[in-house]
Amino acid sequence: MLFRGAVSGTWFRRGRPRPRPHPPRAGAAPPAPPSGRTADPAGIPGTLFPVSPRENPFGQVLVALVTPFTADGEVDWPGVEQHIDDCITAGADGIVVTGTTGETSTLTDPEKLRLVEVGKSVAAGRAKIITGGGSNETAHAIHLYKQSEKAGADGVMIVTPYYNKPTQAGVLTHFRMIADATDLPVLLYDIPGRTGIPITYETIVRASHHPNILGVKDAKGDFAEVSRVLNNTDLLYFSGDDTNVLPHLSIGATGLIGVTANITSAPYRTIVDAVNRGDLATATAEHKRLEPLVRAVMTHVPGTVAAKYILHGLGRIGSPRVRLPLVGPEDTEAYAIETSLEAVKDVPGADFSNFRPDRNAAAGGALPKVPGTTR
């Protein structure tokens, strides 16, 4: 557990102090960087490039897991177990449960905690189980992540507070307080298209000084900023946009957290392994083969909806049902997904020769018996 001195601002972990520099006051000159470091143009100390690689406790090929439901919208627990096992067997070494793709907004807290427990049981040490989602209420997020740690999570992913649109000072405080409350490694999730606000470069760098904040899932797609952060911190970066996995990896990202990986994680394993050994040609070839599948999953309807529609058509989950306000694809959207899938060729783990989509089963959305607890 971490504690901060009320006056000194020093962070303590198991009796060992870790000083954290205070941000400069308005108008004050930035502090001199420590020996061996250089000051970033924004006035924030940062390490010289290249930084030393930090230990990665998350894995590299992470699946942003869908939560299989029954036709009436309840969690299909046997289906969850089977799907997690399928993803790990295909090459994933990390599973993110209760994230955006897992429909965190309509899950109850007990469902979220059980997903962590089931994930740990099924993974049995083969993959890390990261709990996503969080809350835009700091107190609720702290409570949920504490419970997730007790349930066995290997890490937590904190999304930027959404809807209430705090200032960057509020965002940073939210991140720090949650990271204080757990001994688990933390990923920050930067997805302004859903939250309404970005995590700015300055906030990311300041957050990087917290000993538990180890990485960022980036769905912002600002590659210049990613490069700048990688140059000036030792944070791990994970691509959070399926279309940009290889571009992210090519500039130094550690891995990915992907929606399309629900269909098959095998090609992402190939891409990551190829990048790790410096084989850009193999990584690029696999990236090109994946493009139609990524397009099918990510461009016509929300990724959760498309992934479930495709998985059900492949016979991999029992129902394509999503919870309201999400609904299954309408006919024109289903046709667009199916047309994109026709171009998928020679992608490991993605054989569509027996694909049997069911538009009627996917139609509409479900109201679960118990409403979700995400605020």
Side-chain angles (χ1 to χ4, degrees):
M1 188 62 67
L2 296 162
F3 305 92
R4 182 170 61 177
V7 176
S8 69
T10 298
W11 294 89
F12 300 90
R13 181 185 181 95
R14 296 188 178 94
R16 291 174 296 171
R18 170 169 173 164
R20 181 223 301 273
H22 292 289
R25 294 185 300 275
S35 176
R37 295 192 170 214
T38 183
D40 176 270
I44 299 172
T47 57
L48 287 166
F49 183 81
V51 297
S52 300
R54 100 185 300 166
E55 184 180 350
N56 174 14
F58 305 107
Q60 287 189 285
V61 179
L62 285 76
V63 179
L65 197 80
V66 300
T67 306
F69 296 142
T70 61
D72 60 357
E74 301 305 307
V75 178
D76 176 6
W77 293 109
V80 170
E81 294 180 6
Q82 183 61 58
H83 185 48
I84 292 174
D85 187 67
D86 288 345
C87 292
I88 296 172
T89 300
D93 54 8
I95 303 290
V96 177
V97 296
T98 77
T100 305
T101 307
E103 298 178 69
T104 186
S105 298
T106 55
L107 293 172
T108 66
D109 281 1
E111 287 172 334
K112 293 173 185 178
L113 297 175
R114 187 173 174 188
L115 281 163
V116 172
E117 294 169 346
V118 169
K120 285 290 289 184
S121 175
V122 174
R126 297 177 295 161
K128 301 295 186 181
I129 303 299
I130 313 301
T131 184
S135 175
N136 65 342
E137 182 201 4
T138 306
H140 180 216
I142 288 171
H143 173 76
L144 185 58
Y145 286 130
K146 283 183 175 180
Q147 295 301 112
S148 297
E149 183 173 4
K150 290 180 181 178
D154 295 302
V156 299
M157 186 172 73
I158 310 174
V159 70
T160 316
Y162 44 86
Y163 186 72
N164 40 22
K165 297 182 74 172
T167 64
Q168 290 297 304
V171 171
L172 183 59
T173 301
H174 180 81
F175 291 155
R176 283 176 172 170
M177 290 192 72
I178 295 170
D180 286 351
T182 177
D183 282 329
L184 294 176
V186 171
L187 283 173
L188 308 181
Y189 186 11
D190 192 5
I191 182 166
R194 289 186 181 273
T195 63
I197 54 172
I199 313 174
T200 66
Y201 167 77
E202 291 79 11
T203 299
I204 292 172
V205 173
R206 286 171 178 148
S208 74
H209 294 297
H210 194 291
N212 283 355
I213 296 175
L214 304 188
V216 177
K217 176 185 177 183
D218 178 65
K220 186 160 56 183
D222 183 342
F223 293 104
E225 182 179 280
V226 172
S227 295
R228 188 180 179 196
V229 172
L230 291 174
N231 277 358
N232 291 285
T233 75
D234 60 354
L235 288 173
L236 305 168
Y237 255 75
F238 293 83
S239 178
D241 182 347
D242 288 14
T243 60
N244 285 330
V245 167
L246 183 55
H248 268 117
L249 292 172
S250 70
I251 61 171
T254 298
L256 64 114
I257 302 173
V259 182
T260 307
N262 280 278
I263 313 302
T264 175
S265 51
Y268 291 109
R269 183 81 264 163
T270 298
I271 291 172
V272 167
D273 289 348
V275 171
N276 286 345
R277 64 177 183 267
D279 184 359
L280 185 59
T282 295
T284 301
E286 200 72 355
H287 168 82
K288 289 180 177 179
R289 275 191 290 270
L290 262 174
E291 186 275 327
L293 182 58
V294 172
R295 179 161 26 100
V297 174
M298 301 303 295
T299 60
H300 307 299
V301 292
T304 302
V305 175
K308 284 190 169 184
Y309 183 70
I310 295 168
L311 287 167
H312 182 252
L314 291 169
R316 300 253 303 277
I317 59 174
S319 170
R321 181 67 68 222
V322 290
R323 287 179 176 176
L324 288 164
L326 293 181
V327 295
E330 297 185 356
D331 282 345
T332 54
E333 296 163 337
Y335 176 77
I337 293 170
E338 294 159 16
T339 300
S340 294
L341 292 176
E342 290 175 1
V344 177
K345 307 292 182 186
D346 302 321
V347 174
D351 180 3
F352 291 97
S353 58
N354 292 312
F355 183 58
R356 299 291 183 270
D358 188 339
R359 298 182 186 182
N360 290 329
L367 282 174
K369 295 174 183 177
V370 180
T373 41
T374 299
R375 290 168 173 80

